[in-house]
């Protein structure tokens, strides 16, 4: 389902300019364009280079600084003199310079910054490729990347702005927005006087909606990510997919015509589509039979190359589907999905808990078991103490006591929590609201919520109608709403919030939802006069996910865009999924 856009759909901006800017800046920093002798990957072994100059292009991480220091100090010990340059991307942090100073090499290296913070992965997807953002901010409370986000937004508004309508929800979103606004105010008014290319920008924190990120993905692109891991827009398909003894790195974007037609499709429709495509391709090959020499010449020069390329891509995606099917059959994927749907809907909680216990006992996967426990916790507003202790004990017995710190991390992030003994939070809320006015009750509830980081998922789900009521079967071939990305069982909360705010052009009428999300102080709207904005630009929406977004959310919003005549552009700190989320919280590295 490539979601063919309406003929009147707005054109997407050309993001190739971002790549050109980044390339030109890097060439300037390197000072000599063509004299790079050899590239080495920064890893825990010496770079065996005989060159007199070493240039390190690194992320601003402490372990990278220690690696560089070990190389420089090894050179010093052996009496070798070289020039060293460290280029930090996307920005330089004071903490890194402090490490270089501690290691006694600060005076030996020159430091620079390469502000390459926006990587266009596709025509509508920009990634900052900062997977560490999620743990750094949502677990450690480290705010250093917020400035990087503000700088990236500033660059986008300089090239494609200004953005007349801004909306956001979440503490991090509000901070990034305010920093970005400060940067805008420091500039001259040149950008402000231009006609905007993008009419709306929406900033959203990942912790506003953990549920969506914890669900198993069932759209094709999401399943490929869950199964093979898509990195920087490409995937390594192993021999089981390529039907050869070699692995193959494949770029997955709109240029792959086969992939582009199935990426947003529910997996149950993909095989049918690919087999039809294979028949059509065969029919085009068969046309050769009745051709004369001139027609054959035209066919070979104009069509054959394209058909061969399509055939190669078709074989790869059929191989990927078969591999996914084998893995999912082995895992009993249907039973897993059934449990997830029950958790989302709030049915058969005891049965679902038993399923999770069995999952742990069978040692299916430490990451998967954690994910299911987190999904149970968030949808149930925390686990009752008995269940929390029992599941935690079973998990540590099954997978090892080294996971103990991980539970502490999950609790701090609000992903796996225990209900307070005695009253559950909802019971306390209802008692309080009988005693005091609504406004005061709201404030008291906010105080409770901020103390306990409650999810209030059931109440939010009801308010926003996240669980569709369907008579009969949900037709996945002709989706009726965004719920199709989870087999018709659940509309992603993040996407529903975006849809509702865009409909209203504000948070008006969503006060209760904002309160339940514990974001009363962090939902904002900033609208300027739209006299310069064309009707086309007002149908272009930039959605910024802070802490990562999933391919399921991207597919859901592409669907919404097609239905409503919008085009969405996505900017994320990194593409994420449930496994990456759990790994970021884990203290046991795989």
């Amino acid at each position: 389902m490539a979601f063919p856009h309406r003929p009147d759909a707005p054109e997407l901006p050309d993001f190739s300019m971002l790549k050109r800017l980044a390339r030109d800046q890097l060439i300037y920093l390197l000072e000599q364009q063509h004299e790079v002798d050899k590239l080495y990957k920064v890893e825990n072994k010496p770079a065996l280079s005989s060159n007199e100059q070493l240039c390190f292009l690194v992320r601003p991480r402490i372990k990278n600084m220690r690696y560089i220091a070990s190389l420089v100090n090894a050179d010093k010990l052996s009496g070798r003199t070289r020039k060293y340059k460290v280029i930090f991307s996307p920005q330089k942090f004071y903490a890194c310079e402090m490490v270089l100073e501690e290691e006694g090499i600060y005076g030996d290296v020159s430091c620079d910054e390469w502000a390459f913070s926006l990587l266009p992965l596709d025509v509508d997807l920009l990634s900052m490729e900062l997977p560490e953002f999620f743990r750094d901010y949502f677990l450690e409370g480290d705010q250093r990347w917020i400035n990087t986000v503000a700088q990236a937004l500033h660059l986008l508004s300089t090239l494609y702005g200004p953005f007349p309508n801004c909306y956001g929800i979440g503490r991090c979103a509000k901070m990034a927005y305010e920093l970005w606004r400060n940067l805008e105010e420091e500039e001259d008014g040149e950008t402000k006087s231009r006609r905007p290319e993008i009419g709306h920008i929406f900033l959203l924190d990942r912790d506003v909606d953990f549920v969506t990120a914890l669900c198993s993905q069932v759209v094709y692109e999401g399943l490929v990510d869950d199964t093979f891991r898509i990195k920087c827009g490409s995937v390594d398909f192993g021999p089981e997919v390529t039907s050869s003894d070699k692995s193959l790195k494949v770029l997955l974007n709109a240029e792959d015509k086969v992939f582009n037609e199935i990426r947003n499709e529910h997996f149950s429709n993909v095989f049918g589509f690919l087999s039809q495509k294979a028949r059509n391709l065969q029919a085009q090959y068969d046309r050769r039979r009745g051709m004369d020499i001139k027609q054959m010449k035209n066919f070979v020069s104009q069509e054959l190359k394209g058909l061969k390329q399509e055939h190669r891509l078709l074989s790869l995606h059929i191989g990927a589907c078969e591999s996914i099917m084998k893995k999912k059959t082995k895992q009993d994927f249907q039973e897993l999905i059934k449990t997830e749907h029950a958790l989302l809907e709030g049915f058969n909680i005891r049965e679902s808990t038993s399923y999770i216990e069995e999952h742990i006992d069978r040692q299916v996967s430490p990451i998967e078991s954690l994910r299911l426990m987190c999904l149970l916790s968030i949808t149930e507003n925390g686990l009752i103490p008995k269940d929390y202790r029992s599941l935690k004990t079973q998990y540590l017995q099954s997978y090892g006591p080294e996971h103990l710190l991980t539970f502490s991390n999950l609790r701090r992030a609000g992903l796996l929590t225990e209900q307070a003994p005695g009253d559950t939070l909802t019971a306390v809320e209802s008692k309080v609201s009988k005693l005091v006015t609504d406004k005061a009750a709201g404030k008291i509830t906010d105080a409770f919520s901020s103390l306990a980081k409650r999810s209030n998922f059931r109440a939010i789900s009801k308010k926003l109608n996240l669980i569709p009521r369907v008579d009969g079967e949900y037709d996945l071939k002709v989706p009726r709403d965004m719920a199709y990305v989870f087999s018709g069982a659940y509309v992603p909360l993040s996407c529903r919030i975006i849809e509702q705010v865009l409909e209203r052009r504000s948070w008006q009428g969503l006060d209760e939802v904002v309160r339940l999300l514990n974001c009363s102080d962090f939902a904002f709207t900033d609208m300027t006069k739209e006299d310069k904005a064309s009707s086309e630009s007002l149908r272009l929406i930039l959605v910024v996910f802070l802490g990562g977004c999933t391919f399921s959310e991207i597919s859901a919003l592409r669907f919404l865009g097609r239905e409503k005549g919008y085009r969405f552009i996505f900017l994320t700190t990194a593409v994420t999924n449930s496994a990456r989320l759990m790994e970021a919280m884990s203290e046991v590295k795989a």
Side-chain angles (χ1 to χ4, degrees):
M1 196 190 303
F3 294 158
H5 286 276
R6 302 174 180 191
D8 64 339
E11 282 296 308
L12 291 168
D14 176 13
F15 291 124
S16 62
M17 198 191 302
L18 293 169
K19 283 185 182 173
R20 287 199 300 276
L21 278 172
R23 187 194 59 209
D24 293 350
Q25 194 195 358
L26 183 61
I27 289 168
Y28 172 75
L29 288 172
L30 290 170
E31 293 164 341
Q32 63 266 64
Q33 188 176 349
H34 299 295
E35 290 180 31
V36 176
D37 174 48
K38 199 154 188 189
L39 291 171
Y40 297 93
K41 191 177 178 186
V42 171
E43 50 196 352
N44 290 329
K45 58 184 182 190
L48 304 168
S49 172
S50 57
N51 270 22
E52 292 312 300
Q53 294 187 66
L54 285 182
C55 178
F56 301 94
L57 178 58
V58 290
R59 287 281 195 218
R61 293 175 188 144
I62 303 292
K63 67 172 188 183
N64 289 341
M65 298 307 100
R66 302 252 187 249
Y67 169 79
I68 292 165
S70 69
L71 286 182
V72 176
N73 284 327
D75 279 355
K76 280 183 178 178
L77 275 173
S78 64
R80 182 164 194 179
T81 318
R82 295 201 249 206
K83 274 188 180 172
Y84 307 97
K85 184 168 194 160
V86 181
I87 300 176
F88 293 98
S89 177
Q91 71 182 82
K92 184 167 63 177
F93 288 136
Y94 175 65
C96 292
E97 293 181 302
M98 284 294 289
V99 173
L100 296 177
E101 200 168 320
E102 275 168 30
E103 296 280 350
I105 66 157
Y106 189 65
D108 303 294
V109 300
S110 63
C111 295
D112 255 313
E113 214 172 56
W114 183 34
F116 181 32
S117 57
L118 292 168
L119 177 66
L121 296 180
D122 212 336
V123 288
D124 60 353
L125 175 59
L126 302 169
S127 173
M128 297 183 72
E129 289 303 305
L130 291 174
E132 59 265 60
F133 185 104
F134 178 70
R135 183 183 168 108
D136 284 357
Y137 179 79
F138 293 101
L139 177 64
E140 314 285 359
D142 185 338
Q143 299 175 7
R144 61 187 172 157
W145 295 115
I146 295 176
N147 184 48
T148 316
V149 173
Q151 295 280 3
L153 292 172
H154 182 51
L155 174 61
L156 284 175
S157 76
T158 305
L159 296 175
Y160 309 103
F163 305 134
N165 305 299
C166 297
Y167 319 95
I169 186 161
R171 188 188 292 264
C172 183
K174 194 166 187 184
M175 283 194 282
Y177 167 76
E178 284 167 357
L179 257 178
W180 164 44
R181 274 289 175 248
N182 292 343
L183 290 173
E184 301 276 293
E185 279 161 22
E186 287 164 18
E187 294 278 303
D188 53 27
E190 196 184 316
T191 308
K192 295 183 182 80
S193 60
R194 289 213 327 255
R195 281 181 79 94
E197 284 186 52
I198 297 168
H200 306 268
I201 177 170
F202 200 114
L203 289 85
L204 185 129
D205 282 12
R206 182 69 273 169
D207 67 351
V208 166
D209 174 17
F210 277 142
V211 170
T212 300
L214 288 169
C215 291
S216 295
Q217 304 194 79
V218 287
V219 289
Y220 181 65
E221 190 166 12
L223 260 172
V224 170
D225 188 38
D226 280 358
T227 312
F228 305 102
R229 290 280 170 114
I230 298 172
K231 291 176 188 164
C232 290
S234 69
V235 68
D236 280 319
F237 283 140
E240 77 280 9
V241 172
T242 59
S243 304
S244 68
D245 54 358
K246 290 194 186 82
S247 288
L248 191 63
K249 196 186 245 333
V250 179
L251 211 55
L252 295 177
N253 58 29
E255 284 176 20
D256 176 340
K257 295 291 179 272
V258 175
F259 173 70
N260 198 41
E261 289 191 72
I262 56 175
R263 66 191 316 178
N264 304 303
E265 191 73 71
H266 188 277
F267 190 65
S268 59
N269 302 331
V270 173
F271 261 127
F273 174 85
L274 291 175
S275 53
Q276 183 57 51
K277 194 96 178 152
R279 285 195 291 274
N280 295 350
L281 201 60
Q282 191 57 53
Q284 283 176 286
Y285 272 126
D286 291 346
R287 281 175 34 232
R288 292 174 302 177
R289 289 190 183 136
M291 287 181 181
D292 58 29
I293 289 175
K294 193 181 177 189
Q295 288 169 325
M296 182 62 85
K297 191 180 169 188
N298 280 343
F299 176 78
V300 169
S301 63
Q302 288 167 22
E303 290 179 52
L304 192 60
K305 193 181 172 189
L307 290 176
K308 280 186 171 171
Q309 168 71 345
E310 199 172 332
H311 183 262
R312 189 183 71 86
L313 293 169
L314 199 54
S315 300
L316 276 174
H317 290 296
I318 289 170
C321 283
E322 286 170 342
S323 182
I324 290 168
M325 285 290 284
K326 272 184 205 155
K327 284 175 183 163
K328 296 302 175 195
T329 308
K330 201 173 156 192
Q331 286 174 359
D332 198 357
F333 195 54
Q334 289 310 319
E335 196 58 34
L336 179 71
I337 294 290
K338 202 173 113 190
T339 302
E340 285 182 30
H341 290 178
L343 291 174
L344 292 166
E345 292 171 31
F347 295 141
N348 304 335
I349 296 305
R350 292 271 34 109
E351 276 177 39
S352 299
T353 308
S354 301
Y355 175 87
I356 296 170
E357 287 174 331
E358 191 192 327
H359 199 274
I360 293 167
D361 292 340
R362 284 180 23 235
Q363 297 182 331
V364 178
S365 147
I367 289 293
E368 275 286 280
S369 294
L370 268 187
R371 172 179 82 82
L372 289 168
M373 286 161 71
C374 290
L375 195 57
L376 172 64
S377 170
I378 292 181
T379 51
E380 285 299 294
N381 221 347
L383 300 177
I384 55 173
K386 184 170 71 76
D387 283 353
Y388 181 83
R389 284 194 298 273
S390 162
L391 284 167
K392 183 177 171 182
T393 305
Q394 287 176 66
Y395 187 93
L396 295 173
Q397 284 171 351
S398 199
Y399 295 117
E402 63 272 21
H403 291 274
L404 192 57
L405 279 173
T406 302
F407 280 86
S408 165
N409 291 347
L410 293 168
R411 184 193 280 254
R412 269 165 59 204
L415 279 157
L416 183 55
T417 58
E418 185 180 3
Q419 286 175 6
D423 277 323
T424 60
L425 201 75
T426 21
V428 174
E429 275 179 31
S430 60
K431 282 180 189 172
V432 167
S433 58
K434 286 190 183 93
L435 296 171
V436 289
T437 64
D438 280 353
K439 200 169 183 185
K443 282 184 180 167
I444 292 169
T445 305
D446 280 349
F448 275 122
S449 300
S450 61
L451 279 174
K453 261 196 175 175
R454 295 298 182 195
S455 67
N456 302 321
F457 177 75
R458 293 269 171 266
I460 294 163
S461 177
K462 213 168 173 181
K463 281 255 175 252
L464 291 175
N465 194 21
L466 300 182
I467 311 296
R469 294 283 160 255
V470 182
D471 302 324
E473 280 287 295
Y474 187 101
D475 188 355
L476 293 165
K477 281 194 168 63
V478 188
R480 64 178 75 182
D481 56 22
M482 292 186 284
Y484 91 92
V485 301
F486 292 115
S487 307
Y490 161 70
V491 177
L493 168 57
S494 53
C495 304
R496 179 69 98 207
I497 291 169
I498 291 164
E499 175 194 36
Q500 293 292 310
V501 172
L502 285 173
E503 257 178 35
R504 294 167 163 79
R505 293 283 185 99
S506 76
W507 291 97
Q508 214 173 343
L510 294 169
D511 306 4
E512 181 65 7
V513 171
V514 169
R515 185 179 71 75
L516 288 165
L517 288 166
N518 309 318
C519 284
S520 295
D521 296 330
F522 309 114
F524 56 88
T525 310
D526 182 8
M527 302 175 87
T528 52
K529 281 187 185 160
E530 291 179 359
D531 47 3
K532 285 198 190 78
S534 65
S535 63
E536 182 165 313
S537 74
L538 288 172
R539 286 182 292 127
L540 261 183
I541 300 136
L542 172 65
V543 181
V544 183
F545 283 90
L546 300 166
C549 92
T550 65
F551 284 117
S552 297
E553 288 164 309
I554 291 172
S555 289
L557 288 172
R558 281 177 182 147
F559 173 86
L560 181 69
R562 189 191 65 168
E563 293 293 292
K564 307 268 185 185
Y566 299 138
R567 292 293 289 274
F568 284 96
I569 301 159
F570 306 93
L571 164 57
T572 180
T573 48
V575 173
T576 195
N577 60 20
S578 58
R580 289 191 189 98
L581 223 59
M582 294 294 98
E583 284 160 10
M585 290 287 149
S586 176
E587 289 299 328
V588 181
K589 297 303 164 218

